[in-house]
Amino acid sequence: MELLTRPHNYNISFNIAALVLVFVTLLIHISQEVHYSRQRNVFGAIIADAFFINLMGLAHQCYLSNDYFKYIITAEGNKYIVIAEKISVYLLPYFSIIYVAAIFQMELDSLLKKAIVAIPTIYAVLAFASGVWSDYYFSFDAAGNLKFNYYQGATVNIGVILYFISAAYLLLKYGKSLTSEKFIAIWVYFFIMLLGIPVRILTRSGSIFEFSVSISLLLCVYTFQNPSEFVDRMSGAGTRNALNFYISTSLIQKKEFTALGVHVNKLAVILGVEPTEAASDLLNQISSYLKKLCPEGNLFYPGDADFILVFPDVTPDEAVIEKTVEQIRKRFKEPWKIRGDEIKLVQSPYAIGFPDEADSLDRYSEIRSVMSKAILRQNREILRVSDLSLKTVEQDKKINNIVKHALDNGHLEVYYQPIYSPETGRFSSCEALLRLKDPQLGFISPAVFMPVAERNGTILAMDKYVLSKVCEMISNTAVRDYGLEYVEINLSIVDCIQTNLAENVLRTLSKYDVKPSEINLEVTETSEEGINAVMEENVRKLMAAGVDFSMDDFGTGYSNIARVASMPVKIFKLDKSIIQSAFDSEVNYMVMYNMVKIIKSLGKEIVAEGVETGEQARQIIKLGCDHLQGFFYSRPLPRDQFLDFMKEHNS
Ligand code: C2E
Ligand code: CA
Ligand code: CA
């Protein structure tokens, strides 16, 4: 204790504090389990180096201030300790400049670049190492203190100054792709390093310098190495920020590279309903596999069920992309593990070439959003930018905006399509269908805007809007008197996985005094067990309150009859593709015929969708379908026209 509290031993206290700080930093660094970043390895070298500097510095201070240590370390030992410390001090600016280069994804590819970076360090290391044999640069006094022989000693510092000049150059040139917080952090880091030179010379002591190096390393941990900003906690891959940063810094340097996207179908939805550990474990399995396939471990998981593998110096046409996709395809034929179970995942690859196909971050995200739609349609070949029409890219951007503001701008309207029930000969129900009318583009089809709304999240507000409009119509008009028994309302899968769906629906119903039996919610089937769990929970709650359900688009999706049969829905809606193709061929007719038989045998009601002709209607009624919906009876109508229709046809 006395060693630390004696005033002229304060250096030792500094040393110990610095050592503890670096040690903590080292622990933080090692404990992160990540699959991303070359800069991380360089940073590891910096911390290890700083740790070594501190350790040697402490040993030197102990030697100077304590007889006991003098006896153990010996004058000769002290000399080596000091030289080792100095050499690692001069390695620090070298690693720092490599670090900055790694941050900006710069490759030191030419010999000239390598030389420029390495020569000052080699020179400094040699100069200090020569201290073992000569006293040319420095010597030791009787007490064991280092004495520099200026000007020789000063020449070594020139190397350090060179590093600072190049670092300043890089930061000024590329710093604009950094956030301001990082920009400041990296400047502070270099400022402290630079300040180290006069401090060391004036105080003849490294302790304060070592302490500040430790602090600035910690600063880096929380900015540049900040795990939560650059590394996705769940998957261990780079985050969206890291990807954006990679793209923008590479574009500034006019580098060519390819982003190979692997879209894992429905992954976002699976993850949304799994417990965090299970989700994280699954993501980790996928990313550790993919990481092995990409050079330098450039793997990102920007979310939205997409993994991005980055291939520097490669265009999408090169064989390596094709080969990697082939490997991925093979792996995805095998199952993945989740909570002790196995699941199979379906992936679709797509490739974007920089800077030829995307020359800015904005452009990239526009292309991405169009691709994600196209991906749903195909999953065999690698989807390429050339497969998309660029008009779609512009259109998509526009529609995204229109959809986001449609509700606030009052551009949405609910239409109603009457549904006919042959048994009573009346239109006892209808389906509520959303319409978006843009002042410039006119009507935009739900097939176009619904997927956009699902992606940008506006779907939740839209469906709430539909529900309240429907309730308002039921309670404020004479539609009940016209014979309307219930309204079919579409739910998106995004609605179905909201845990508060049931509460929201029931609150709206009671607000308008609408009975739960007066609406029927349409859901579609999905292939994921996980989704079904939350969805079924919602269905259960709503059914307990008296709301019935319809299975929409039946016959298009996965249609595992056994499982679908066990779903607690009252109505099956036979998809219009089944109905319409039934009249094309004998086989297709048999498909429809048997579907109707199966559904009937389960004791469920059937709505036949897309009935367009009188002949179709006649046949379908003969088969025993309970309800018919389609243009033959009526197109979807605006509210007032629908009311007129009901009044006219049901009385
Ligand atoms: P859906 O649920 O299958 O709705 C039936 C679609 O078939 C409607 O298309 C309707 O206009 C169309 N249709 C009706 N009769 C016929 C016919 O005889 N022939 C043909 N060819 N088509 C017919 P729409 O209105 O364009 O809606 C498309 C899809 O958008 C809907 O398919 C539904 O999945 C979604 N959607 C529409 N409104 C909403 C909504 O309010 N919320 C949600 N979540 N989805 C909606
Ligand atoms: Ca529907
Ligand atoms: Ca449908």
Side-chain angles (χ1 to χ4, degrees), residues 431 433 490 522-524 551-554 556 573-577 609-610 629:
E431 176 172 5
L433 293 160
N490 290 284
E522 296 191 0
V523 293
T524 46
M551 175 61 62
D552 201 358
D553 300 340
F554 186 68
T556 53
K573 297 192 78 175
L574 266 189
D575 192 69
K576 53 180 172 286
S577 61
E609 274 185 350
Q629 172 183 3

Side-chain angles (χ1 to χ4, degrees), residues 540-602:
R540 207 186 46 71
K541 275 193 218 159
L542 285 162
M543 284 187 70
V547 177
D548 280 322
F549 281 82
S550 301
M551 175 61 62
D552 201 358
D553 300 340
F554 186 68
T556 53
Y558 309 90
S559 296
N560 175 339
I561 298 273
R563 203 196 55 225
V564 169
S566 69
M567 300 264 240
V569 297
K570 180 177 167 197
I571 297 177
F572 278 86
K573 297 192 78 175
L574 266 189
D575 192 69
K576 53 180 172 286
S577 61
I578 302 287
I579 301 296
Q580 289 168 355
S581 65
F583 299 93
D584 295 347
S585 77
E586 195 73 14
V587 178
N588 286 343
Y589 184 84
M590 288 313 290
V591 170
M592 176 183 78
Y593 178 88
N594 283 306
M595 280 186 160
V596 172
K597 288 279 164 287
I598 291 172
I599 299 170
K600 292 254 89 176
S601 72
L602 294 170

Side-chain angles (χ1 to χ4, degrees), residues 82-345:
V82 172
I83 289 172
E85 186 207 351
K86 296 302 161 207
I87 289 179
S88 38
V89 164
Y90 281 91
L91 279 172
L92 200 60
Y94 169 72
F95 285 136
S96 305
I97 196 88
I98 302 268
Y99 180 53
V100 171
I103 285 178
F104 294 120
Q105 327 287 339
M106 261 167 231
E107 265 125 86
L108 302 172
D109 36 14
S110 73
L111 197 66
L112 181 71
K113 281 190 202 160
K114 283 195 180 101
I116 289 177
V117 173
I119 283 174
T121 300
I122 294 173
Y123 170 69
V125 166
L126 287 179
F128 271 97
S130 74
V132 180
W133 307 285
S134 82
D135 288 340
Y136 187 66
Y137 280 100
F138 56 86
S139 55
F140 290 88
D141 66 11
N145 269 315
L146 181 70
K147 293 272 175 255
F148 281 102
N149 301 334
Y150 294 97
Y151 308 96
Q152 295 93 319
T155 60
V156 176
N157 287 326
I158 291 175
V160 179
I161 290 163
L162 282 180
Y163 280 130
F164 287 119
I165 293 175
S166 21
Y169 169 75
L170 292 182
L171 287 174
L172 285 175
K173 183 155 181 210
Y174 300 119
K176 54 177 172 288
S177 54
L178 299 175
T179 61
S180 57
E181 159 201 300
K182 291 213 177 69
F183 191 69
I184 293 169
I186 196 94
W187 276 108
V188 168
Y189 173 83
F190 272 96
F191 183 70
I192 290 174
M193 296 282 173
L194 186 64
L195 209 64
I197 301 170
V199 167
R200 293 178 71 86
I201 293 171
L202 292 175
T203 64
R204 298 275 158 105
S205 146
S207 306
I208 299 172
F209 170 69
E210 280 145 23
F211 187 65
S212 51
V213 166
S214 312
I215 292 200
S216 55
L217 285 181
L218 211 55
L219 179 78
C220 283
V221 164
Y222 284 100
T223 50
F224 278 93
Q225 298 305 123
N226 183 350
S228 61
E229 176 159 15
F230 267 153
V231 180
D232 177 55
R233 279 244 180 267
M234 304 263 278
S235 65
T239 55
R240 183 188 300 271
N241 275 339
L243 176 63
N244 289 352
F245 186 67
Y246 182 98
I247 293 176
S248 54
T249 51
S250 302
L251 285 175
I252 292 177
Q253 295 167 71
K254 307 204 168 24
K255 285 203 264 184
E256 196 174 43
F257 60 99
T258 292
L260 174 64
V262 177
H263 177 82
V264 183
N265 298 8
K266 301 270 164 65
L267 183 64
V269 192
I270 301 177
L271 296 176
V273 295
E274 286 295 337
T276 316
E277 309 89 74
S280 171
D281 182 51
L282 178 65
L283 282 175
N284 237 297
Q285 287 170 55
I286 303 174
S287 54
S288 14
Y289 174 75
L290 293 178
K291 164 132 164 127
K292 283 187 236 130
L293 304 181
C294 52
E296 297 166 28
N298 283 322
L299 178 72
F300 301 89
Y301 180 65
D304 292 342
D306 280 25
F307 289 85
I308 312 284
L309 290 74
V310 173
F311 293 79
D313 303 316
V314 165
T315 66
D317 300 312
E318 280 169 59
V320 54
I321 300 293
E322 195 61 61
K323 231 180 71 199
T324 310
V325 166
E326 196 45 54
Q327 272 170 289
I328 295 173
R329 198 169 281 148
K330 263 200 208 123
R331 175 61 187 85
F332 272 79
K333 287 205 174 111
E334 306 297 317
W336 304 86
K337 289 201 178 60
I338 191 155
R339 285 179 287 105
D341 265 351
E342 291 192 331
I343 50 164
K344 277 215 172 146
L345 297 171

Side-chain angles (χ1 to χ4, degrees), residues 417 431-435 445-447 450 459 463 466 490-492 495 522 552-553 575-576 580 609-612 629-632 636:
Q417 187 175 31
E431 176 172 5
L433 293 160
L434 200 52
R435 292 291 174 263
S445 157
M450 279 299 166
I459 186 82
D463 282 343
V466 174
N490 290 284
L491 283 186
S492 146
D495 295 301
E522 296 191 0
D552 201 358
D553 300 340
D575 192 69
K576 53 180 172 286
Q580 289 168 355
E609 274 185 350
V611 181
E612 291 185 353
Q629 172 183 3
F631 296 168
F632 172 67

